[in-house]
Amino acid sequence: MSDPSCLFCRIARREIPAKIVHEDDGLVAFWDVNPQAPTHILIIPRDHIPSLNDLEPKHRDVIGDVHLLARELARAEGITSGGWRVVMNCGADAGQTVFHIHLHL
Ligand code: 5GP
Ligand code: ZN
């Protein structure tokens, strides 16, 4: 499911430009417009899931998949041995500003 008014759904549909580094049937990954680290990529499911508060058992695979893609992109970026971090903010008090789940790499 896609939300026509959601920024990240629109990026996934290529209605808004982004520096996309990976896309497949389930996921899209693109550079954060305001990077906070030398590598700062956002990994999103194509499915519009607003936040971790909306997670259901049916999303089990996608939560695994975003982490597997993070590992693949970390390898591609050459940061595997140096170290890398993933973050997913949930809710405004945790700093979530875009309400379509995204894993920060
Ligand atoms: P949050 O604060 O919700 O965890 O993370 C949202 C992230 O999306 C921020 O790091 C912000 O820089 C990024 N962002 C916001 N708008 C855009 C956009 O239009 N394009 C891209 N590529 N990143 C965006
Ligand atoms: Zn969305």
Side-chain angles (χ1 to χ4, degrees):
M1 280 252 289
S2 184
D3 176 341
S5 65
C6 167
L7 175 63
F8 285 178
C9 284
R10 297 190 68 195
I11 286 176
R13 289 200 306 269
R14 290 184 172 265
E15 291 172 9
I16 291 176
K19 199 172 153 196
I20 292 176
V21 293
H22 174 95
E23 54 184 332
D24 60 42
D25 286 352
L27 304 178
V28 181
F30 53 91
W31 276 80
D32 195 293
V33 77
N34 183 23
Q36 302 296 310
T39 297
H40 190 174
I41 292 169
L42 302 174
I43 301 171
I44 66 167
R46 288 190 184 276
D47 244 5
H48 179 78
I49 306 165
S51 85
L52 288 176
N53 285 328
D54 304 292
L55 217 57
E56 296 176 27
K58 69 181 179 188
H59 299 129
R60 193 181 304 275
D61 281 355
V62 87
I63 291 302
D65 289 347
V66 293
H67 288 85
L68 288 168
L69 181 56
R71 186 191 63 166
E72 190 180 315
L73 294 176
R75 277 201 191 119
E77 286 292 314
I79 56 175
T80 316
S81 58
W84 50 285
R85 182 161 65 107
V86 289
V87 171
M88 196 181 282
N89 298 321
C90 178
D93 287 354
Q96 187 178 5
T97 58
V98 178
F99 282 78
H100 177 131
I101 61 167
H102 47 281
L103 191 68
H104 294 259
L105 163 64

